[in-house]
Short mmCIF file of all heavy atoms in Angstrom, two decimals:
data_model
loop_
_atom_site.label_atom_id
_atom_site.label_comp_id
_atom_site.label_asym_id
_atom_site.label_seq_id
_atom_site.Cartn_x
_atom_site.Cartn_y
_atom_site.Cartn_z
N GLU U 1057 -14.88 -34.03 7.89
CA GLU U 1057 -14.18 -33.51 6.70
C GLU U 1057 -12.88 -32.82 7.09
O GLU U 1057 -11.85 -32.99 6.43
CB GLU U 1057 -15.08 -32.52 5.96
CG GLU U 1057 -14.39 -31.94 4.74
CD GLU U 1057 -15.19 -30.86 4.06
OE1 GLU U 1057 -15.48 -29.83 4.70
OE2 GLU U 1057 -15.51 -31.05 2.87
N THR U 1058 -12.89 -32.06 8.18
CA THR U 1058 -11.68 -31.39 8.65
C THR U 1058 -10.57 -32.39 8.90
O THR U 1058 -9.42 -32.19 8.48
CB THR U 1058 -11.98 -30.59 9.93
OG1 THR U 1058 -12.94 -29.58 9.63
CG2 THR U 1058 -10.73 -29.95 10.50
N LEU U 1059 -10.90 -33.48 9.55
CA LEU U 1059 -9.90 -34.51 9.83
C LEU U 1059 -9.43 -35.21 8.57
O LEU U 1059 -8.24 -35.52 8.42
CB LEU U 1059 -10.47 -35.52 10.83
CG LEU U 1059 -10.73 -34.94 12.23
CD1 LEU U 1059 -11.51 -35.94 13.06
CD2 LEU U 1059 -9.45 -34.53 12.90
N ARG U 1060 -10.34 -35.44 7.64
CA ARG U 1060 -9.98 -36.12 6.39
C ARG U 1060 -8.88 -35.37 5.63
O ARG U 1060 -7.98 -35.98 5.06
CB ARG U 1060 -11.20 -36.31 5.51
CG ARG U 1060 -10.89 -37.03 4.21
CD ARG U 1060 -12.16 -37.28 3.38
NE ARG U 1060 -11.88 -38.16 2.29
CZ ARG U 1060 -11.91 -39.49 2.33
NH1 ARG U 1060 -12.19 -40.10 3.45
NH2 ARG U 1060 -11.63 -40.21 1.28
N TYR U 1061 -8.95 -34.05 5.63
CA TYR U 1061 -8.01 -33.26 4.83
C TYR U 1061 -6.96 -32.53 5.67
O TYR U 1061 -6.33 -31.59 5.20
CB TYR U 1061 -8.79 -32.27 3.96
CG TYR U 1061 -9.72 -32.98 3.01
CD1 TYR U 1061 -11.11 -32.89 3.15
CD2 TYR U 1061 -9.23 -33.77 2.00
CE1 TYR U 1061 -11.97 -33.56 2.28
CE2 TYR U 1061 -10.07 -34.46 1.13
CZ TYR U 1061 -11.43 -34.34 1.29
OH TYR U 1061 -12.27 -35.01 0.43
N SER U 1062 -6.72 -32.98 6.89
CA SER U 1062 -5.84 -32.26 7.80
C SER U 1062 -4.35 -32.35 7.45
O SER U 1062 -3.55 -31.60 8.00
CB SER U 1062 -6.05 -32.75 9.24
OG SER U 1062 -5.69 -34.11 9.35
N LEU U 1063 -3.96 -33.22 6.54
CA LEU U 1063 -2.55 -33.32 6.14
C LEU U 1063 -2.28 -32.67 4.79
O LEU U 1063 -1.17 -32.80 4.25
CB LEU U 1063 -2.10 -34.79 6.12
CG LEU U 1063 -2.10 -35.50 7.47
CD1 LEU U 1063 -1.63 -36.94 7.31
CD2 LEU U 1063 -1.24 -34.77 8.49
N GLU U 1064 -3.26 -31.97 4.24
CA GLU U 1064 -3.06 -31.31 2.95
C GLU U 1064 -2.22 -30.05 3.13
O GLU U 1064 -2.18 -29.45 4.20
CB GLU U 1064 -4.41 -30.96 2.32
CG GLU U 1064 -5.25 -32.18 1.99
CD GLU U 1064 -4.52 -33.18 1.11
OE1 GLU U 1064 -4.23 -32.87 -0.06
OE2 GLU U 1064 -4.22 -34.28 1.60
N GLN U 1065 -1.54 -29.65 2.06
CA GLN U 1065 -0.70 -28.46 2.07
C GLN U 1065 -1.24 -27.43 1.11
O GLN U 1065 -1.87 -27.76 0.10
CB GLN U 1065 0.74 -28.81 1.67
CG GLN U 1065 1.44 -29.68 2.65
CD GLN U 1065 2.87 -29.98 2.24
OE1 GLN U 1065 3.48 -30.86 2.82
NE2 GLN U 1065 3.42 -29.28 1.27
N TRP U 1066 -0.94 -26.18 1.37
CA TRP U 1066 -1.40 -25.07 0.55
C TRP U 1066 -0.96 -25.23 -0.91
O TRP U 1066 -1.70 -24.93 -1.83
CB TRP U 1066 -0.89 -23.75 1.13
CG TRP U 1066 -1.32 -22.55 0.36
CD1 TRP U 1066 -0.54 -21.79 -0.46
CD2 TRP U 1066 -2.62 -21.97 0.34
NE1 TRP U 1066 -1.27 -20.78 -0.99
CE2 TRP U 1066 -2.57 -20.86 -0.51
CE3 TRP U 1066 -3.83 -22.28 0.95
CZ2 TRP U 1066 -3.67 -20.06 -0.78
CZ3 TRP U 1066 -4.93 -21.48 0.69
CH2 TRP U 1066 -4.84 -20.39 -0.16
N ASP U 1067 0.26 -25.72 -1.13
CA ASP U 1067 0.82 -25.82 -2.48
C ASP U 1067 0.41 -27.10 -3.22
O ASP U 1067 0.86 -27.36 -4.32
CB ASP U 1067 2.34 -25.71 -2.44
CG ASP U 1067 3.03 -26.80 -1.65
OD1 ASP U 1067 2.34 -27.74 -1.17
OD2 ASP U 1067 4.25 -26.71 -1.49
N GLY U 1068 -0.45 -27.91 -2.61
CA GLY U 1068 -0.92 -29.12 -3.27
C GLY U 1068 -0.01 -30.32 -3.10
O GLY U 1068 -0.27 -31.38 -3.66
N LYS U 1069 1.05 -30.18 -2.33
CA LYS U 1069 1.99 -31.29 -2.13
C LYS U 1069 1.71 -32.02 -0.83
O LYS U 1069 2.61 -32.55 -0.20
CB LYS U 1069 3.42 -30.77 -2.16
CG LYS U 1069 3.81 -30.20 -3.52
CD LYS U 1069 5.22 -29.68 -3.52
CE LYS U 1069 5.55 -29.10 -4.88
NZ LYS U 1069 6.88 -28.50 -4.91
N GLY U 1070 0.44 -32.04 -0.44
CA GLY U 1070 0.03 -32.69 0.80
C GLY U 1070 0.27 -34.18 0.76
O GLY U 1070 0.48 -34.78 -0.29
N LYS U 1071 0.20 -34.77 1.93
CA LYS U 1071 0.56 -36.17 2.06
C LYS U 1071 -0.53 -37.14 1.66
O LYS U 1071 -0.26 -38.28 1.37
CB LYS U 1071 0.94 -36.46 3.52
CG LYS U 1071 1.95 -35.51 4.12
CD LYS U 1071 3.29 -35.58 3.43
CE LYS U 1071 4.34 -34.73 4.08
NZ LYS U 1071 4.35 -33.33 3.75
N ALA U 1072 -1.78 -36.70 1.65
CA ALA U 1072 -2.86 -37.67 1.44
C ALA U 1072 -3.55 -37.53 0.08
O ALA U 1072 -3.48 -38.44 -0.74
CB ALA U 1072 -3.89 -37.56 2.56
N TYR U 1073 -4.19 -36.42 -0.18
CA TYR U 1073 -5.04 -36.31 -1.37
C TYR U 1073 -4.53 -35.32 -2.42
O TYR U 1073 -5.03 -35.30 -3.53
CB TYR U 1073 -6.47 -35.92 -0.95
CG TYR U 1073 -7.07 -36.92 0.00
CD1 TYR U 1073 -7.07 -36.69 1.37
CD2 TYR U 1073 -7.59 -38.12 -0.47
CE1 TYR U 1073 -7.61 -37.62 2.24
CE2 TYR U 1073 -8.12 -39.05 0.40
CZ TYR U 1073 -8.12 -38.80 1.75
OH TYR U 1073 -8.64 -39.72 2.62
N GLY U 1074 -3.59 -34.48 -2.08
CA GLY U 1074 -3.04 -33.54 -3.04
C GLY U 1074 -3.94 -32.36 -3.36
O GLY U 1074 -3.78 -31.73 -4.40
N LEU U 1075 -4.88 -32.04 -2.47
CA LEU U 1075 -5.70 -30.85 -2.68
C LEU U 1075 -4.83 -29.61 -2.56
O LEU U 1075 -3.80 -29.63 -1.89
CB LEU U 1075 -6.84 -30.77 -1.66
CG LEU U 1075 -7.88 -31.88 -1.69
CD1 LEU U 1075 -8.96 -31.61 -0.65
CD2 LEU U 1075 -8.49 -32.03 -3.07
N LYS U 1076 -5.24 -28.52 -3.21
CA LYS U 1076 -4.42 -27.32 -3.26
C LYS U 1076 -5.21 -26.08 -2.88
O LYS U 1076 -6.38 -25.96 -3.22
CB LYS U 1076 -3.87 -27.16 -4.68
CG LYS U 1076 -2.90 -26.03 -4.86
CD LYS U 1076 -2.34 -26.02 -6.27
CE LYS U 1076 -1.30 -24.93 -6.40
NZ LYS U 1076 -0.67 -24.95 -7.71
N SER U 1077 -4.58 -25.17 -2.20
CA SER U 1077 -5.05 -23.86 -1.80
C SER U 1077 -6.50 -23.88 -1.31
O SER U 1077 -6.81 -24.55 -0.34
CB SER U 1077 -4.82 -22.83 -2.91
OG SER U 1077 -5.51 -23.16 -4.09
N GLU U 1078 -7.37 -23.15 -1.97
CA GLU U 1078 -8.76 -23.00 -1.52
C GLU U 1078 -9.55 -24.31 -1.59
O GLU U 1078 -10.64 -24.39 -1.01
CB GLU U 1078 -9.47 -21.92 -2.33
CG GLU U 1078 -8.85 -20.54 -2.23
CD GLU U 1078 -8.99 -19.90 -0.86
OE1 GLU U 1078 -9.96 -20.21 -0.14
OE2 GLU U 1078 -8.11 -19.09 -0.50
N ASP U 1079 -9.04 -25.32 -2.29
CA ASP U 1079 -9.73 -26.61 -2.33
C ASP U 1079 -9.64 -27.34 -0.99
O ASP U 1079 -10.45 -28.22 -0.71
CB ASP U 1079 -9.15 -27.50 -3.44
CG ASP U 1079 -9.48 -26.98 -4.83
OD1 ASP U 1079 -10.46 -26.22 -4.97
OD2 ASP U 1079 -8.75 -27.33 -5.77
N VAL U 1080 -8.65 -26.98 -0.18
CA VAL U 1080 -8.52 -27.56 1.15
C VAL U 1080 -9.48 -26.79 2.06
O VAL U 1080 -9.39 -25.57 2.14
CB VAL U 1080 -7.07 -27.45 1.69
CG1 VAL U 1080 -6.96 -28.06 3.08
CG2 VAL U 1080 -6.08 -28.08 0.73
N PRO U 1081 -10.37 -27.47 2.74
CA PRO U 1081 -11.30 -26.76 3.63
C PRO U 1081 -10.53 -25.89 4.64
O PRO U 1081 -9.49 -26.30 5.16
CB PRO U 1081 -12.06 -27.88 4.34
CG PRO U 1081 -11.94 -29.06 3.41
CD PRO U 1081 -10.60 -28.92 2.76
N ILE U 1082 -11.07 -24.71 4.92
CA ILE U 1082 -10.39 -23.77 5.81
C ILE U 1082 -10.13 -24.39 7.19
O ILE U 1082 -9.07 -24.19 7.78
CB ILE U 1082 -11.16 -22.43 5.93
CG1 ILE U 1082 -10.39 -21.42 6.79
CG2 ILE U 1082 -12.55 -22.64 6.49
CD1 ILE U 1082 -9.11 -20.92 6.19
N ALA U 1083 -11.08 -25.15 7.69
CA ALA U 1083 -10.87 -25.78 9.01
C ALA U 1083 -9.69 -26.74 8.97
O ALA U 1083 -8.93 -26.84 9.95
CB ALA U 1083 -12.14 -26.49 9.46
N SER U 1084 -9.49 -27.44 7.87
CA SER U 1084 -8.35 -28.36 7.73
C SER U 1084 -7.05 -27.58 7.67
O SER U 1084 -6.03 -28.00 8.24
CB SER U 1084 -8.51 -29.22 6.48
OG SER U 1084 -9.66 -30.02 6.57
N ARG U 1085 -7.06 -26.44 6.98
CA ARG U 1085 -5.86 -25.61 6.91
C ARG U 1085 -5.49 -25.08 8.29
O ARG U 1085 -4.31 -25.06 8.66
CB ARG U 1085 -6.07 -24.44 5.95
CG ARG U 1085 -6.07 -24.86 4.50
CD ARG U 1085 -6.22 -23.67 3.58
NE ARG U 1085 -7.63 -23.55 3.23
CZ ARG U 1085 -8.24 -22.43 2.90
NH1 ARG U 1085 -7.59 -21.28 2.88
NH2 ARG U 1085 -9.52 -22.43 2.58
N ILE U 1086 -6.49 -24.69 9.05
CA ILE U 1086 -6.25 -24.19 10.41
C ILE U 1086 -5.72 -25.31 11.29
O ILE U 1086 -4.75 -25.13 12.04
CB ILE U 1086 -7.52 -23.56 10.99
CG1 ILE U 1086 -7.86 -22.27 10.24
CG2 ILE U 1086 -7.36 -23.30 12.49
CD1 ILE U 1086 -9.23 -21.70 10.56
N LEU U 1087 -6.34 -26.48 11.22
CA LEU U 1087 -5.88 -27.62 12.02
C LEU U 1087 -4.44 -27.98 11.68
O LEU U 1087 -3.61 -28.21 12.57
CB LEU U 1087 -6.79 -28.83 11.82
CG LEU U 1087 -6.40 -30.11 12.56
CD1 LEU U 1087 -6.34 -29.88 14.07
CD2 LEU U 1087 -7.39 -31.22 12.21
N HIS U 1088 -4.11 -28.01 10.40
CA HIS U 1088 -2.76 -28.38 9.96
C HIS U 1088 -1.71 -27.41 10.52
O HIS U 1088 -0.72 -27.84 11.12
CB HIS U 1088 -2.71 -28.42 8.43
CG HIS U 1088 -1.37 -28.78 7.89
ND1 HIS U 1088 -0.78 -30.00 8.10
CD2 HIS U 1088 -0.49 -28.06 7.14
CE1 HIS U 1088 0.41 -30.03 7.51
NE2 HIS U 1088 0.60 -28.86 6.93
N ILE U 1089 -1.95 -26.13 10.35
CA ILE U 1089 -0.96 -25.15 10.83
C ILE U 1089 -0.87 -25.20 12.36
O ILE U 1089 0.21 -25.10 12.93
CB ILE U 1089 -1.24 -23.73 10.30
CG1 ILE U 1089 -0.05 -22.81 10.54
CG2 ILE U 1089 -2.50 -23.14 10.90
CD1 ILE U 1089 -0.16 -21.45 9.88
N ALA U 1090 -2.00 -25.40 13.03
CA ALA U 1090 -1.99 -25.46 14.49
C ALA U 1090 -1.20 -26.66 15.00
O ALA U 1090 -0.44 -26.55 15.97
CB ALA U 1090 -3.42 -25.50 15.02
N GLN U 1091 -1.36 -27.80 14.34
CA GLN U 1091 -0.62 -29.00 14.75
C GLN U 1091 0.88 -28.80 14.59
O GLN U 1091 1.66 -29.08 15.50
CB GLN U 1091 -1.06 -30.21 13.92
CG GLN U 1091 -2.44 -30.69 14.25
CD GLN U 1091 -2.89 -31.80 13.30
OE1 GLN U 1091 -2.59 -31.78 12.11
NE2 GLN U 1091 -3.63 -32.76 13.84
N VAL U 1092 1.30 -28.33 13.43
CA VAL U 1092 2.73 -28.17 13.16
C VAL U 1092 3.34 -27.11 14.06
O VAL U 1092 4.40 -27.32 14.66
CB VAL U 1092 2.97 -27.84 11.67
CG1 VAL U 1092 4.44 -27.51 11.41
CG2 VAL U 1092 2.51 -28.99 10.78
N LEU U 1093 2.68 -25.97 14.18
CA LEU U 1093 3.24 -24.89 14.99
C LEU U 1093 3.17 -25.22 16.48
O LEU U 1093 4.03 -24.76 17.24
CB LEU U 1093 2.56 -23.57 14.67
CG LEU U 1093 2.74 -23.09 13.22
CD1 LEU U 1093 2.10 -21.73 13.03
CD2 LEU U 1093 4.19 -23.10 12.78
N GLY U 1094 2.21 -26.03 16.87
CA GLY U 1094 2.16 -26.48 18.26
C GLY U 1094 3.38 -27.32 18.62
O GLY U 1094 3.97 -27.16 19.69
N VAL U 1095 3.75 -28.21 17.71
CA VAL U 1095 4.95 -29.04 17.93
C VAL U 1095 6.20 -28.17 17.93
O VAL U 1095 7.07 -28.30 18.80
CB VAL U 1095 5.05 -30.16 16.87
CG1 VAL U 1095 6.39 -30.87 16.95
CG2 VAL U 1095 3.91 -31.15 17.03
N ALA U 1096 6.28 -27.24 16.97
CA ALA U 1096 7.44 -26.34 16.91
C ALA U 1096 7.56 -25.54 18.21
O ALA U 1096 8.66 -25.40 18.76
CB ALA U 1096 7.32 -25.40 15.71
N HIS U 1097 6.44 -25.05 18.70
CA HIS U 1097 6.44 -24.28 19.95
C HIS U 1097 6.90 -25.13 21.12
O HIS U 1097 7.67 -24.67 21.97
CB HIS U 1097 5.05 -23.71 20.21
CG HIS U 1097 4.98 -22.89 21.45
ND1 HIS U 1097 4.68 -23.42 22.68
CD2 HIS U 1097 5.21 -21.57 21.65
CE1 HIS U 1097 4.71 -22.46 23.58
NE2 HIS U 1097 5.03 -21.33 22.99
N SER U 1098 6.47 -26.38 21.17
CA SER U 1098 6.85 -27.23 22.30
C SER U 1098 8.35 -27.53 22.31
O SER U 1098 8.93 -27.74 23.37
CB SER U 1098 6.04 -28.52 22.31
OG SER U 1098 6.40 -29.36 21.25
N PHE U 1099 8.97 -27.53 21.14
CA PHE U 1099 10.41 -27.80 21.07
C PHE U 1099 11.26 -26.55 21.15
O PHE U 1099 12.37 -26.60 21.68
CB PHE U 1099 10.76 -28.55 19.77
CG PHE U 1099 10.47 -30.01 19.84
CD1 PHE U 1099 9.32 -30.52 19.27
CD2 PHE U 1099 11.33 -30.88 20.49
CE1 PHE U 1099 9.04 -31.87 19.33
CE2 PHE U 1099 11.06 -32.23 20.57
CZ PHE U 1099 9.90 -32.73 19.98
N GLY U 1100 10.75 -25.42 20.61
CA GLY U 1100 11.61 -24.24 20.54
C GLY U 1100 10.95 -22.93 20.92
O GLY U 1100 11.53 -21.87 20.68
N GLY U 1101 9.75 -22.99 21.46
CA GLY U 1101 9.09 -21.77 21.91
C GLY U 1101 8.51 -20.95 20.76
O GLY U 1101 8.41 -21.40 19.62
#
C-alpha cells in the first residue's frame, strides 16, 4: 500500500490517484518526502 500511494501529494494534486491529506497513508507520505528530499540533498546538500 505504501508503494501504491507513494506519488500522492498532501494537496491532492498527486500524480497517480489524487488522494488528499490524511487519505494518503502516513507511510506513503513519509516515503514521498524522503525520496524528494533525498534527491534535493544529493544535488544541493
